[in-house]
């Protein structure tokens, strides 16, 4: 375990007690919450403070505000905060992605992991959906489990991280939820198919019961195939995921939230498949637009040797008649992102985090 700063800290001590390198090498398909009796809880305020100590020489975290989207829908229950984020696999950031305007110093894991943790701790999600996680076993599972989250990881079968020298194992999708708020009813790992072939992309779908309301809902996380030229492939993967979720939610009887990096602009077929699905889905971040019909102008913005890449690829889909979007976290402005784009000393990933607060529809006659 690498030191997270020049001085010994509680955070370093916490990380030093995490899984050994031999355990990390045993890339399990799915790792559930370990025995809580073996874990000491961590106060999130202490962890955030330690992250800020490590990051004190870096620029301060960007300020982002939530946009209130409530439409006179009163609720007696706390909203459910869901966070979606492609955090950028460390092996890819350092070894394959070629962010030509990002100094290598900004990609150092010892500090970048603190930037990631700082972002998560700042927004305090009840449910956290991550992609490109390649430090699950030695960072995210040990720390987030001690913050009260139940943790699940599903790696890609042939992760590109494994091609990078001194990698930390395969990257994959990870799903975390607060045990004090939810009970796990069912968990399914899905290896997506396309054209009847198993692919390298995966998803996790979990049915949870909200402890406060007793309501069931399904939360899913995925990361579809990247690159131009793979549009039909992504479309097939999306169809497969929708079919799986249709079965899991009993034909949309159970409300659904899907988080993911779809690697697809809103003009792609896979986007239309989700928009027109029988599961009655809507994209939460469309609600930030003046007419409620347009996606944000970007969720990722980077500069590679081939040029500048500014795209909308990340989404939070939800059952629009069963769930209300109370608020959504605003995006970073172009001025905040800066001319060198992402990642940077300010921000740890080339993708922006998306955060929404959901509540259940209170009308008992409207089940969907």
């Amino acid at each position: 375990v690498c030191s997270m700063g020049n001085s010994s800290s509680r955070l370093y001590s916490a990380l030093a007690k995490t899984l050994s390198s031999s355990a990390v090498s045993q890339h399990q398909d799915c790792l559930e919450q370990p025995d809580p009796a073996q874990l000491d809880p961590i106060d999130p305020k202490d962890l955030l403070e330690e992250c800020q100590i490590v990051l004190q020489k870096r620029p301060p975290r960007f300020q982002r505000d939530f946009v209130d989207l409530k439409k006179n829908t009163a609720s007696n229950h706390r909203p459910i905060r869901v966070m979606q984020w492609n955090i950028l696999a460390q092996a890819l950031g350092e070894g394959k992605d070629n962010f030509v305007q990002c100094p290598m110093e900004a990609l150092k894991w010892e500090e970048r992991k603190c930037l990631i943790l700082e972002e998560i701790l700042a927004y305090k999600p009840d449910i956290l959906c991550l992609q490109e996680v390649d430090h699950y076993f030695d960072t995210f599972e040990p720390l987030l489990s001690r913050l009260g989250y139940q943790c699940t990881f599903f790696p890609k079968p042939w992760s590109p991280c494994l091609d990078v020298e001194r990698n930390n194992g395969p990257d994959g999708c990870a799903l975390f939820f607060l045990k004090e708020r939810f009970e796990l009813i069912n968990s399914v790992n899905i290896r997506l198919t396309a054209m009847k072939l198993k692919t390298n992309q995966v998803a996790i779908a979990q049915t949870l019961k909200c402890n406060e309301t007793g309501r069931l809902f399904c939360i899913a996380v995925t990361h579809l195939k990247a690159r131009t030229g793979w549009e039909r492939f992504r479309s097939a993967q999306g169809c497969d995921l929708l079919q799986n979720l249709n079965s899991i939610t009993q034909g949309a009887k159970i409300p659904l939230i899907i988080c993911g990096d779809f690697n697809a602009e809103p003009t792609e077929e896979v986007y239309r498949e989700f928009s027109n699905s029988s599961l009655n889905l809507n994209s939460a971040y469309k609600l930030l637009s003046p007419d409620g019909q347009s996606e944000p102008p970007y969720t990722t913005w980077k500069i590679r040797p081939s040029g500048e890449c500014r795209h909308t690829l990340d989404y939070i889909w939800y059952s629009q008649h069963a769930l209300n979007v109370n608020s959504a976290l605003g995006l970073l402005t172009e001025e905040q992102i800066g001319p060198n784009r992402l990642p940077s000393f300010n921000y740890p990933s080339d993708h922006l985090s998306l955060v929404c607060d959901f509540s259940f529809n209170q009308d008992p006659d409207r089940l969907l």
Side-chain angles (χ1 to χ4, degrees):
V1 178
C2 298
S3 171
M4 299 189 69
N6 295 326
S7 61
S8 176
S9 68
R10 292 188 298 276
L11 179 54
Y12 170 67
S13 175
L15 285 175
K17 296 175 182 176
T18 59
L19 298 177
S20 67
S21 58
S22 61
V24 173
S25 67
Q26 299 171 8
H27 305 305
Q28 302 174 36
D29 283 357
C30 175
L31 184 69
E32 297 291 345
Q33 174 75 22
D35 183 0
Q38 299 176 358
L39 303 171
D40 297 323
I42 298 175
D43 187 322
K45 292 181 180 178
D46 289 343
L47 185 56
L48 180 59
E49 179 183 322
E50 293 298 335
C51 287
Q52 291 169 342
I53 291 172
V54 173
L55 299 170
Q56 58 187 331
K57 293 183 180 179
R58 290 206 178 199
R61 196 175 63 83
F62 292 125
Q63 177 63 40
R64 299 168 65 185
D65 297 319
F66 281 89
V67 179
D68 189 352
L69 299 169
K70 290 194 293 289
K71 297 180 180 178
N72 300 320
T73 53
S75 173
N76 297 324
H77 305 290
R78 283 188 297 162
I80 298 170
R81 177 162 291 182
V82 177
M83 183 174 188
Q84 147 62 28
W85 199 12
N86 178 332
I87 61 172
L88 174 61
Q90 183 65 21
L92 300 184
E94 288 186 309
K96 282 201 164 195
D97 278 349
N98 296 317
F99 302 116
V100 294
Q101 295 295 103
C102 179
M104 287 301 295
E105 185 73 12
L107 295 172
K108 288 174 55 179
W109 180 242
E110 289 79 4
E111 294 181 359
R112 197 171 79 84
K113 63 184 168 186
C114 288
L115 276 176
I116 295 171
L117 290 167
E118 184 184 44
E119 182 91 346
I120 295 168
L121 290 164
Y123 299 123
K124 304 174 184 175
D126 300 303
I127 300 172
L128 174 63
C129 296
L130 302 180
Q131 300 87 40
E132 291 199 22
V133 179
D134 64 344
H135 274 273
Y136 176 83
F137 293 102
D138 66 353
T139 300
F140 294 105
E141 189 277 335
L143 285 176
L144 291 177
S145 64
R146 295 172 67 181
L147 291 171
Y149 289 91
Q150 182 151 327
C151 314
T152 305
F153 176 61
F154 193 22
K156 296 174 183 173
W158 312 299
S159 168
C161 293
L162 299 178
D163 296 332
V164 179
E165 189 176 357
R166 294 189 298 276
N167 67 76
N168 198 63
D171 76 300
C173 292
L175 198 160
F176 309 84
F177 67 84
L178 285 176
K179 293 185 294 179
E180 69 172 11
R181 293 216 62 187
F182 311 107
E183 176 188 348
L184 178 63
I185 304 300
N186 184 49
S187 183
V188 180
N189 291 337
I190 304 166
R191 184 175 170 188
L192 298 175
T193 63
M195 305 160 193
K196 299 184 179 179
L197 297 174
K198 292 286 186 181
T199 74
N200 194 35
Q201 280 64 48
V202 300
I204 303 169
Q206 295 189 333
T207 303
L208 306 180
K209 183 173 79 170
C210 177
N211 292 334
E212 189 175 359
T213 65
R215 298 279 295 270
L216 295 179
F217 68 100
C218 177
I219 178 76
V221 56
T222 195
H223 188 186
L224 301 188
K225 174 66 181 171
R227 304 288 183 264
T228 302
W230 292 86
E231 291 81 5
R232 289 185 62 195
F233 198 83
R234 281 191 287 273
S235 176
Q237 289 182 326
C239 284
D240 182 51
L241 179 58
L242 287 169
Q243 288 175 2
N244 276 277
L245 294 174
N246 184 69
S247 175
I248 292 168
T249 62
Q250 303 169 30
K253 290 182 180 178
I254 298 174
L256 175 63
I257 300 171
I258 310 165
C259 295
D261 174 359
F262 280 63
N263 275 309
E265 291 274 10
T267 53
E268 274 199 34
E269 179 63 29
V270 67
Y271 182 93
R272 292 192 290 272
E273 287 165 357
F274 274 73
S275 295
N276 301 325
S277 165
S278 62
L279 296 175
N280 199 13
L281 301 171
N282 193 22
S283 175
Y285 263 72
K286 284 168 55 177
L287 302 180
L288 290 181
S289 65
D291 61 0
Q293 299 299 315
S294 304
E295 292 289 354
Y298 52 83
T299 62
T300 179
W301 202 341
K302 67 204 89 175
I303 301 176
R304 285 180 165 148
S306 58
E308 196 156 347
C309 304
R310 178 179 179 267
H311 299 292
T312 299
L313 306 178
D314 308 270
Y315 306 96
I316 300 178
W317 297 91
Y318 69 101
S319 300
Q320 58 185 328
H321 290 135
L323 297 166
N324 301 307
V325 184
N326 297 354
S327 61
L329 181 64
L331 300 175
L332 293 177
T333 65
E334 180 176 359
E335 182 181 9
Q336 286 176 310
I337 290 173
N340 294 332
R341 309 315 184 197
L342 304 174
S344 66
F345 282 108
N346 301 73
Y347 200 78
S349 176
D350 55 326
H351 290 252
L352 300 179
S353 62
L354 308 181
V355 185
C356 290
D357 290 335
F358 290 96
S359 61
F360 291 104
N361 192 306
Q362 299 301 303
D363 187 346
D365 296 323
R366 295 175 64 188
L367 300 178
L368 294 178

